[in-house]
Amino acid sequence: MEGVIQCSANYTPLSPISFLERAAIVYGDKVSMVYGTEKTSWKQTHQRCIKLASALVQFFGISPGDTVAAIAPNVPELYELHFGVPMAGAVLSALNTRIDATMLAFLLEQLEAKIIFIYFEFIEVVLEALNILSDRKGKPPVLQVVLVLIVESDQITAPSILLKETPAGCSLEYYNALLARGRADFEIVPLKNECDPISVNYTSGSTGIPKGAIYSHRAAYLNSLAAIFRSDMRQMPVFLWTVDMFRCNGWCFTWAMAALGGTNIFLRTELSSKPIFDAIYIHKVTHLCGAPTILNIIADAPATDHQRPLPSRVNITVAGALPAPQILMKVTELGFNVSHGYGMTEALGPAAILGPWERRLQYSSKLIMDEQTERIKGREGLHNLIMDGVDVKDPKTMKSIPCDGKTIGEVMLKGNAMMLGYLKNPKVAQEAFRDGWYHSGDLAIRHPDGFVQIKDRAKDIIISSGGEAISTLEVEAVLLSHPKVLNAAVVGRASCDGHLLGDQAPCAFVKLKKECGVCTAEEIIKFCGDRLPKYMAPHSVVFGDLPVNSTGKIQKFVLREKVNIAAGLALQKGLQ
Amino acid sequence: MEGVIQCSANYTPLSPISFLERAAIVYGDKVSMVYGTEKTSWKQTHQRCIKLASALVQFFGISPGDTVAAIAPNVPELYELHFGVPMAGAVLSALNTRIDATMLAFLLEQLEAKIIFIYFEFIEVVLEALNILSDRKGKPPVLQVVLVLIVESDQITAPSILLKETPAGCSLEYYNALLARGRADFEIVPLKNECDPISVNYTSGSTGIPKGAIYSHRAAYLNSLAAIFRSDMRQMPVFLWTVDMFRCNGWCFTWAMAALGGTNIFLRTELSSKPIFDAIYIHKVTHLCGAPTILNIIADAPATDHQRPLPSRVNITVAGALPAPQILMKVTELGFNVSHGYGMTEALGPAAILGPWERRLQYSSKLIMDEQTERIKGREGLHNLIMDGVDVKDPKTMKSIPCDGKTIGEVMLKGNAMMLGYLKNPKVAQEAFRDGWYHSGDLAIRHPDGFVQIKDRAKDIIISSGGEAISTLEVEAVLLSHPKVLNAAVVGRASCDGHLLGDQAPCAFVKLKKECGVCTAEEIIKFCGDRLPKYMAPHSVVFGDLPVNSTGKIQKFVLREKVNIAAGLALQKGLQ
């Protein structure tokens, strides 16, 4: 069309950095962060992030595309890194604080991290990881790193371990000293392409080694806006940090708070009900989110924690296992609006949402807490504003499955909120992105009303000898409802009784509650048999601890290996 | 970074069409539109738009980039065109319904419109415009157009004029008949580049011939989200259409409503207080916006229109002249939250916003309606979420002016919400976009608190013989406060009393109220002199009607020409 001009006046690469630049002007003196007795304004946060970027570029020679790692809990410094690192043109990888030294060594090497920001509590695991790397033949580049130590402001000295054990080639800095030397008039490194990476977030690794999902500036920008919409946020929310910032960059709420001039409330304690309710009363928290355990913490809170009504209803979004109706009811009664998200690290957080209004939309003009809640408790929500679609498809034909409540397909996603790929793993990403959709690996059905219900992970589903698909999630739900069972997992065990290779029978791994008394495998099998179709009930039960990964997820692949070694051996014998 | 993949799973061109596609799934049965007794769901709206796109492509051979014009008030059909036309790959130009045939002929020719959608009331002006074009030598391409007539559903026959006078080469269709023939399974034309045009919106032409501002899909998408943020909207708002859809595509609320699954309420009457309040009571309207006159309509409403309190507070955004404090107070008392926007067609609507919360942010914890309102009434708001900046700069040095409340600079804007350029006017757009900022032509000062106050249009400001800059807006504000004055405009008159060329004295054009009695020029001049510095008071007063353009804006360039012809002649004599 004649007259079209593209120039810097009408085109800027989308980046969440712009949220902070605007916040410094529009929300200047408003409180950006509260941490204990410390308060910071948006103007100050902006200044500190510029100084941080300046230090990265001017003292350490960080160049566009370099990687900066961080291992820290939800402290203001980690929040600042979310802006300061990309302002230097670099890519942030906030690492899970629960991983061990071996895994950390692997990730630091893969990232080729030039700088590691370390909250003081994690200095030992970082040093251990660096030692693992330097013990290997040839010094990998990851060793030439700068360690930047984050300490609490009321902490006088650093752990003495540092001075003795810092590996050769590594230098040491303190975060605040670094910022003090940064220049306030530093011009941030301009972003050339909005599809350039801003961060790497590792998957939880429940099915093996974590994969580093690369996020672009564009996806981070758009998904921050999506986060605002899915939480029904308005101007200047008060956000309590109960989700880890190392999970999808705090589901992108790190950046979203700057977009809305919100206030970030950081807790200095472990997650428990008292500090949560205290924060709500003192700071008038409007929103929080996290794993479903947050609902249990709130529902189980002693009455002394919440003697007064909440200042206003609090929006709470959880992702992971669907909340039980009675928990949902309790938390709603206490003054919370509960939304449930479906997503993954690859989608930058929740890509679909089921909130009070979606429930209303479907079922009634008010939030219903009875049988109808039961009806929807297995349902996932609908795709958020930035996604093009969350669909259930037959992976062979790529056609959407019918909404008949029984045909199983794979949940697939597409849209601008998806990751760019996996760091140094292009083949795995290409496979996941085949046919223009991200293949989640989750199996699901679709109800006649269009809502999706997850049945199982593709890797976990069991095909019985009769050819029926068994959802291990459904069997586990029954196991968990047994009064003596604390935790349970179900995997397929190759059936060696003459059936075809590939046929499997469900095997249950059960951890019993303490002091539950005697419990036999027969009792468990009968309990399941009374509540499930015969082919779904476990054929065998193994009692004991369950293997979990750093984020608490049960590692089914470990159980599968365990149970199939014997079966595999038996099978091999039969085939010989 | 190794591992980055760009594919259709993680990259989609940004387009507001996606809002409608999602709305059909997420908000399927919810009401999208109310028009009299007619109601439509989002599923139905989506279906109708697909059929419309199908008809455009399959019956009329519309190709990507073709232009489709529309001349209609706020009716559901014009809303559907906002999606259906780009779904066919075409570009929509919704034209001002108040322009005359000569101007319409000019615009249709410039647009090279292939199809014109016409609300039946405007068929005559369209036919007149087409006749103007066909009277010229050589037949311009615009003549080979399809006219699609939009009629009310309770209207049996079309105006008979049609059958007689449709120009040769033009064919005629009815909107609903067209849709009935469209295919529901039509696959919409894929968008290749998000920076491709979606619409052309003409400026009001207060300084001459209207310019066609080209909007991109990307800017429309992002500005729709900005519209949501600046109006503090949440899920499923109820939006009363009191702003014309031909203004910046209804400030992008056309598309924004689909993003949030809102309900569009269309009035079948002229704007007046009774239908507005009725709609608020019946449909529980949450948001409306428009020109500042909407505030006057509401403030002046008879008490019988609003005997009950409103169902909830209604958000109302106005753009144009700043509302007077007493009007703002009255409307706020009636239950409205008033925001004021600063923007222009080139910025897709309001680019900066001053709402209740910004006032709170600056002045107090509650909305203040006294002296402090006075203090801020001249201030514009701060840039919205999608804009990079709204600044006041010295156009020579491009440096921001100091926030001293007196230095005058030009308001400049940049960001993704800006237009792509002017249709067939690349030079004018390049000039406006020079140095990487859009030059608004508005002159302003900046107060120490950072807020911007518009002083005048660059073309309107008067430089006195003493070198002082005189804001004609300020002089007009005093004139309008005179009890006998209905309307007023001030322009500069070249002073011929021995001063340097370029010096000007303010000349006032005044339209008196009916039956106001006698009013002399001396009385007006003294009134201004008592309230303004001496150099600002008008030196001369002309009584009579004021020339206005199609949108009701006073055409100062006409007044300037008028007043300076005599002066120019006198000056020429002196120079000879």
Side-chain angles (χ1 to χ4, degrees):
Chain A
M1 186 165 259
E2 195 197 328
V4 169
I5 296 167
Q6 203 187 81
C7 62
S8 62
N10 66 7
Y11 187 95
T12 323
L14 297 175
S15 167
I17 295 171
S18 66
F19 299 149
L20 180 59
E21 294 181 316
R22 178 175 168 272
I25 297 169
V26 174
Y27 307 103
D29 296 325
K30 239 206 105 258
V31 177
S32 57
M33 292 195 253
V34 178
Y35 184 56
T37 56
E38 294 165 32
K39 282 188 184 182
T40 321
S41 73
W42 280 110
K43 225 181 255 173
Q44 290 168 324
T45 297
H46 179 240
Q47 268 298 298
R48 287 175 62 86
C49 293
I50 285 183
K51 286 180 164 194
L52 175 58
S54 148
L56 294 176
V57 172
Q58 301 184 314
F59 308 144
F60 307 135
I62 281 291
S63 313
D66 281 349
T67 307
V68 171
I71 183 157
N74 286 347
V75 288
E77 289 84 351
L78 184 54
Y79 187 85
E80 291 168 352
L81 284 162
H82 275 81
F83 293 95
V85 170
M87 279 170 153
V91 179
L92 175 70
S93 186
L95 301 170
N96 190 327
T97 54
R98 291 175 208 115
I99 53 177
D100 62 19
T102 312
M103 183 60 82
L104 184 58
F106 171 80
L107 301 187
L108 290 175
E109 191 174 20
Q110 187 179 62
L111 285 166
E112 299 178 41
K114 294 274 179 9
I115 306 182
I116 312 172
F117 286 84
I118 310 155
Y119 187 69
F120 75 96
E121 285 178 359
F122 304 102
I123 187 68
E124 292 188 37
V125 69
V126 172
L127 293 178
E128 203 183 326
L130 292 173
N131 283 327
I132 290 170
L133 290 171
S134 60
D135 285 349
R136 295 202 207 145
K137 279 178 198 162
K139 287 192 176 183
V142 76
L143 276 185
Q144 307 297 323
V145 295
V146 180
L147 307 177
V148 183
L149 201 63
I150 299 167
V151 295
E152 294 292 339
S153 59
D154 49 11
Q155 202 174 329
I156 308 299
T157 53
S160 57
I161 186 172
L162 270 177
L163 302 172
K164 286 180 285 180
E165 300 188 26
T166 307
C170 292
S171 64
L172 179 75
E173 294 273 351
Y174 281 84
Y175 186 88
N176 275 325
L178 197 69
L179 249 66
R181 289 161 57 210
R183 282 178 50 184
D185 62 350
F186 175 74
E187 285 203 9
I188 68 166
V189 177
L191 178 66
K192 285 192 186 145
N193 184 335
E194 65 190 25
C195 294
D196 280 351
I198 190 171
S199 63
V200 173
N201 285 267
Y202 280 93
T203 59
S204 63
S206 56
T207 56
I209 292 170
K211 296 185 286 285
I214 309 169
Y215 293 6
S216 70
H217 281 257
R218 175 181 165 104
Y221 179 100
L222 293 171
N223 211 52
S224 298
L225 301 186
I228 293 169
F229 288 116
R230 69 173 181 249
S231 299
D232 218 9
M233 277 183 179
R234 301 168 85 161
Q235 292 285 354
M236 299 183 284
V238 181
F239 187 74
L240 178 65
W241 277 97
T242 52
V243 65
D244 291 311
M245 262 187 250
F246 61 73
R247 290 202 194 288
C248 312
N249 300 114
W251 297 5
C252 297
F253 279 112
T254 40
W255 300 307
M257 282 305 104
L260 289 185
T263 300
N264 295 282
I265 312 291
F266 297 106
L267 295 173
R268 283 196 65 166
T269 57
E270 284 292 298
L271 270 195
S272 66
S273 61
K274 178 132 178 50
I276 290 176
F277 278 103
D278 282 353
I280 293 171
Y281 289 123
I282 295 168
H283 303 295
K284 300 191 169 49
V285 168
T286 58
H287 292 78
L288 57 97
C289 57
T293 47
I294 193 97
L295 295 181
N296 297 46
I297 291 173
I298 290 170
D300 294 344
T304 48
D305 285 352
H306 47 80
Q307 287 175 310
R308 286 171 289 146
L310 304 190
S312 65
R313 287 196 80 79
V314 176
N315 185 305
I316 178 166
T317 307
V318 294
L322 288 159
Q326 58 274 29
I327 298 281
L328 191 60
M329 198 187 315
K330 182 73 195 290
V331 174
T332 304
E333 274 168 11
L334 285 175
F336 296 82
N337 294 335
V338 183
S339 297
H340 176 260
Y342 167 76
M344 60 268 317
T345 305
E346 289 84 346
L348 279 72
I353 199 84
L354 188 76
W357 71 263
E358 285 92 349
R359 293 187 198 112
R360 267 199 301 276
L361 203 62
Q362 282 214 304
Y363 297 103
S364 155
S365 61
K366 64 183 181 64
L367 180 59
I368 295 173
M369 279 300 164
D370 54 9
E371 281 302 303
Q372 297 199 321
T373 314
E374 274 301 319
R375 270 178 60 203
I376 59 164
K377 81 186 162 79
R379 316 283 174 94
E380 301 297 337
L382 295 164
H383 58 294
N384 75 36
L385 191 55
I386 305 300
M387 294 300 290
D388 282 346
V390 174
D391 199 3
V392 186
K393 289 174 173 285
D394 178 329
K396 280 180 195 149
T397 64
M398 287 305 284
K399 282 192 181 151
S400 301
I401 59 150
C403 295
D404 58 8
K406 56 185 186 190
T407 307
I408 291 182
E410 185 173 359
V411 181
M412 301 198 191
L413 300 88
K414 76 184 288 184
N416 287 308
M418 296 306 298
M419 64 164 184
L420 288 172
Y422 296 120
L423 182 64
K424 297 181 182 171
N425 251 329
K427 278 190 189 163
V428 178
Q430 259 150 14
E431 176 67 14
F433 281 150
R434 67 188 184 277
D435 300 316
W437 286 78
Y438 171 75
H439 292 53
S440 72
D442 287 329
L443 300 181
I445 55 168
R446 206 149 199 173
H447 291 281
D449 55 20
F451 276 67
V452 167
Q453 183 174 355
I454 306 291
K455 300 301 278 188
D456 215 336
R457 293 284 306 162
K459 288 182 180 162
D460 294 338
I461 207 150
I462 299 170
I463 305 298
S464 77
S465 56
E468 302 98 341
I470 301 171
S471 157
T472 60
L473 294 182
E474 289 177 17
V475 184
E476 286 157 10
V478 171
L479 286 166
L480 289 169
S481 71
H482 189 287
K484 293 180 184 172
V485 173
L486 179 71
N487 208 351
V490 173
V491 297
R493 179 184 190 140
S495 56
C496 306
D497 49 353
H499 291 290
L500 287 171
L501 190 67
D503 288 350
Q504 294 181 309
C507 171
F509 286 81
V510 170
K511 186 177 164 79
L512 295 170
K513 288 180 183 167
K514 277 181 192 166
E515 299 163 16
C516 71
V518 179
C519 182
T520 63
E522 290 67 34
E523 182 181 339
I524 296 289
I525 291 168
K526 183 177 182 310
F527 182 84
C528 293
D530 290 346
R531 288 161 179 79
L532 288 168
K534 191 164 174 265
Y535 68 91
M536 285 180 78
H539 290 201
S540 51
V541 179
V542 180
F543 294 100
D545 281 334
L546 299 173
V548 291
N549 73 358
S550 62
T551 66
K553 278 190 186 176
I554 298 171
Q555 293 174 302
K556 285 198 178 181
F557 69 99
V558 175
L559 296 176
R560 236 184 327 260
E561 275 171 23
K562 199 185 262 184
V563 83
N564 285 319
I565 285 170
L569 289 175
L571 197 65
Q572 275 189 331
K573 273 188 191 166
L575 290 173
Q576 276 165 0
Chain B
M1 186 167 257
E2 195 196 329
V4 169
I5 295 166
Q6 202 187 82
C7 62
S8 62
N10 66 7
Y11 186 95
T12 323
L14 298 175
S15 166
I17 295 171
S18 66
F19 298 149
L20 180 60
E21 293 182 315
R22 178 175 168 272
I25 297 169
V26 174
Y27 308 103
D29 296 325
K30 237 206 109 260
V31 177
S32 56
M33 292 195 255
V34 178
Y35 184 56
T37 55
E38 296 165 31
K39 283 187 183 184
T40 321
S41 73
W42 278 110
K43 226 181 255 171
Q44 290 168 324
T45 298
H46 180 241
Q47 269 298 298
R48 287 176 61 86
C49 293
I50 284 182
K51 285 181 163 192
L52 175 59
S54 150
L56 293 177
V57 172
Q58 301 183 314
F59 308 144
F60 307 134
I62 281 291
S63 312
D66 282 349
T67 307
V68 171
I71 183 157
N74 287 347
V75 289
E77 290 84 351
L78 184 55
Y79 187 85
E80 291 169 352
L81 285 163
H82 275 81
F83 293 96
V85 171
M87 279 169 151
V91 180
L92 175 69
S93 186
L95 300 171
N96 190 326
T97 52
R98 290 176 209 114
I99 53 178
D100 62 20
T102 312
M103 183 61 81
L104 185 57
F106 171 80
L107 301 186
L108 290 174
E109 191 175 19
Q110 185 179 63
L111 284 165
E112 297 177 41
K114 293 275 180 5
I115 306 181
I116 312 172
F117 286 84
I118 309 155
Y119 186 69
F120 75 95
E121 285 178 358
F122 303 101
I123 186 68
E124 292 188 39
V125 68
V126 172
L127 293 179
E128 203 184 326
L130 291 174
N131 283 329
I132 290 170
L133 290 171
S134 60
D135 285 348
R136 295 205 206 144
K137 279 179 199 162
K139 287 194 175 182
V142 75
L143 276 185
Q144 308 296 323
V145 295
V146 181
L147 307 177
V148 183
L149 201 63
I150 299 167
V151 294
E152 295 292 337
S153 60
D154 50 12
Q155 200 174 329
I156 308 301
T157 52
S160 57
I161 187 171
L162 269 179
L163 303 172
K164 286 180 284 178
E165 300 189 24
T166 307
C170 293
S171 63
L172 178 75
E173 293 273 350
Y174 281 86
Y175 186 89
N176 274 326
L178 196 70
L179 247 67
R181 291 161 57 209
R183 284 178 50 186
D185 63 349
F186 176 74
E187 285 204 7
I188 68 166
V189 177
L191 178 66
K192 285 193 184 144
N193 184 335
E194 65 190 24
C195 293
D196 281 350
I198 190 170
S199 63
V200 173
N201 285 268
Y202 279 93
T203 59
S204 63
S206 56
T207 56
I209 291 168
K211 295 185 286 285
I214 308 169
Y215 293 6
S216 70
H217 281 258
R218 174 181 166 104
Y221 180 100
L222 293 172
N223 211 52
S224 299
L225 301 185
I228 293 169
F229 288 115
R230 69 172 179 249
S231 300
D232 218 11
M233 277 183 178
R234 300 168 86 160
Q235 292 284 355
M236 299 183 283
V238 181
F239 187 75
L240 178 64
W241 277 97
T242 52
V243 66
D244 290 311
M245 261 188 248
F246 60 73
R247 291 201 194 288
C248 313
N249 299 115
W251 298 5
C252 297
F253 280 111
T254 41
W255 300 308
M257 283 306 103
L260 289 186
T263 300
N264 294 282
I265 311 291
F266 297 106
L267 295 174
R268 282 196 66 166
T269 56
E270 284 293 297
L271 270 196
S272 65
S273 61
K274 178 131 179 48
I276 291 176
F277 277 103
D278 282 352
I280 293 171
Y281 289 122
I282 296 167
H283 303 295
K284 298 191 172 48
V285 168
T286 58
H287 291 77
L288 59 97
C289 56
T293 48
I294 193 95
L295 295 181
N296 297 47
I297 291 173
I298 290 170
D300 294 344
T304 47
D305 285 351
H306 48 79
Q307 288 175 312
R308 288 171 288 146
L310 304 189
S312 65
R313 288 197 79 80
V314 177
N315 184 305
I316 178 166
T317 306
V318 293
L322 288 159
Q326 59 273 30
I327 299 281
L328 190 61
M329 198 187 315
K330 181 75 194 290
V331 174
T332 304
E333 274 168 12
L334 285 174
F336 296 81
N337 294 334
V338 183
S339 296
H340 176 261
Y342 167 76
M344 63 264 323
T345 306
E346 289 85 346
L348 279 72
I353 199 84
L354 187 77
W357 72 264
E358 285 92 350
R359 292 186 199 112
R360 268 200 299 276
L361 204 62
Q362 281 216 305
Y363 297 102
S364 156
S365 60
K366 63 182 182 62
L367 180 59
I368 294 174
M369 280 300 163
D370 53 9
E371 280 301 304
Q372 298 200 321
T373 313
E374 273 303 318
R375 271 178 61 202
I376 60 164
K377 81 184 162 78
R379 317 284 174 95
E380 302 297 335
L382 295 164
H383 58 294
N384 74 37
L385 191 55
I386 305 300
M387 293 301 289
D388 282 346
V390 174
D391 199 1
V392 185
K393 287 173 173 284
D394 178 328
K396 281 182 193 148
T397 63
M398 288 307 284
K399 281 191 182 151
S400 300
I401 58 150
C403 294
D404 57 8
K406 56 184 185 187
T407 307
I408 289 182
E410 185 173 359
V411 180
M412 301 199 192
L413 301 87
K414 76 185 287 184
N416 287 306
M418 295 307 299
M419 63 164 185
L420 287 173
Y422 295 119
L423 183 63
K424 297 182 182 170
N425 252 329
K427 278 189 189 165
V428 178
Q430 260 152 12
E431 176 66 13
F433 281 150
R434 68 189 183 276
D435 300 318
W437 286 78
Y438 171 74
H439 292 52
S440 72
D442 287 328
L443 299 182
I445 56 168
R446 205 147 200 175
H447 291 280
D449 55 20
F451 276 67
V452 168
Q453 183 175 352
I454 306 291
K455 300 300 277 186
D456 216 335
R457 294 284 306 162
K459 288 181 182 163
D460 294 339
I461 207 152
I462 299 170
I463 305 298
S464 77
S465 56
E468 301 98 339
I470 300 170
S471 157
T472 59
L473 295 182
E474 289 177 17
V475 184
E476 286 157 9
V478 172
L479 286 167
L480 289 169
S481 71
H482 189 287
K484 293 180 185 173
V485 172
L486 180 70
N487 208 351
V490 173
V491 296
R493 178 184 191 143
S495 57
C496 306
D497 49 352
H499 291 292
L500 287 170
L501 191 69
D503 288 352
Q504 294 180 311
C507 171
F509 285 80
V510 171
K511 187 179 163 80
L512 295 170
K513 288 180 183 166
K514 277 182 193 166
E515 299 162 18
C516 71
V518 179
C519 183
T520 63
E522 290 68 34
E523 183 182 339
I524 297 289
I525 292 169
K526 183 175 182 312
F527 182 84
C528 293
D530 291 347
R531 287 159 179 82
L532 289 167
K534 191 163 175 266
Y535 67 90
M536 286 181 76
H539 289 202
S540 51
V541 181
V542 181
F543 294 101
D545 280 335
L546 299 173
V548 291
N549 74 356
S550 63
T551 67
K553 278 192 187 174
I554 297 172
Q555 293 173 301
K556 286 199 179 181
F557 68 99
V558 174
L559 296 176
R560 237 186 323 263
E561 276 171 24
K562 199 185 265 186
V563 83
N564 284 318
I565 285 169
L569 289 176
L571 198 64
Q572 275 189 330
K573 273 190 193 169
L575 290 173
Q576 278 167 355

